[in-house]
Amino acid sequence: MKSSLRAVLVVVGLSSSLVLAQDAAPPPAKAPVKVPAADAVRDTWTFFREGQGQGLVLVDAKLCTEVAKDGPNKFECTAEVGPEGVKANATVMLWQAYLVPQGDSIEDLMVQVKQGNVVRETKDVKVKGDSWRTRQWTGVRLSKPGEWTVVVVRGDQVLKEVKVKVVP
């Protein structure tokens, strides 16, 4: 009696799991991405392998309120600052993605935080060519309401400017 009851419970448990699995929505389809030209891929490979001493490429930079620490989006910006901006005294991250030649170390990058034309903070940034895609995020504090700009600079060259509105 106990074994037949156990068998019925196992069958019921399995069939309810199958029903739940069938009711689960399929994962959303990914949008197609642009396939790069063979020459672009070859140039990227060559720069990574042989471009030591020639600098870096800043591929992307954006202001984020969250960067994933683990999981499938590890080290990715998971919450970008929107057009509405952020509140005063907020700390946000300038998330950056670079292509740095293999084995190179770039130590003359800076992130400047400006309110209007006034530089309020400067932070040094160092990146290494350890992989195809070097990601870095730099925390910055936006202390007062107004128009702010976060700037990535190498020497006297501005690599990227990101504007953000800070509200009371």
Side-chain angles (χ1 to χ4, degrees):
M1 178 75 169
K2 284 185 180 180
S3 62
S4 61
L5 181 59
R6 213 176 297 143
V8 168
L9 289 175
V10 168
V11 170
V12 168
L14 286 175
S15 64
S16 64
S17 296
L18 291 174
V19 169
L20 289 175
Q22 290 173 350
D23 291 343
K30 286 187 174 183
V33 297
K34 179 181 173 186
V35 176
D39 286 344
V41 174
R42 190 177 305 105
D43 290 346
T44 302
W45 288 347
T46 302
F47 180 73
F48 181 72
R49 285 190 329 266
E50 301 170 16
Q52 293 77 17
Q54 297 180 44
L56 53 75
V57 177
L58 174 59
V59 178
D60 197 7
K62 51 190 164 186
L63 287 173
C64 305
T65 56
E66 292 179 32
V67 174
K69 302 292 188 263
D70 52 27
N73 294 320
K74 186 175 182 177
F75 305 143
E76 296 294 335
C77 172
T78 54
E80 196 169 344
V81 173
E84 69 281 358
V86 295
K87 290 191 175 192
N89 289 315
T91 298
V92 296
M93 276 113 3
L94 179 68
W95 181 91
Q96 305 137 72
Y98 295 94
L99 174 61
V100 180
Q102 188 173 31
D104 257 6
S105 181
I106 309 293
E107 299 185 4
D108 60 349
L109 289 168
M110 293 180 289
V111 170
Q112 290 184 334
V113 182
K114 297 181 181 180
Q115 184 185 24
N117 291 325
V118 178
V119 176
R120 298 286 184 182
E121 182 178 22
T122 300
K123 292 189 171 187
D124 292 331
V125 175
K126 297 176 184 178
V127 293
K128 292 183 177 183
D130 292 333
S131 67
W132 288 99
R133 189 166 168 239
T134 300
R135 291 165 289 182
Q136 163 74 34
W137 50 98
T138 306
V140 296
R141 187 168 167 263
L142 306 171
S143 59
K144 300 177 183 179
E147 296 297 321
W148 289 71
T149 308
V150 182
V151 186
V152 180
V153 179
R154 181 165 192 224
D156 60 356
Q157 182 182 14
V158 172
L159 302 180
K160 178 87 175 199
E161 292 186 344
V162 181
K163 297 195 178 293
V164 62
K165 179 171 59 174
V166 178
V167 297

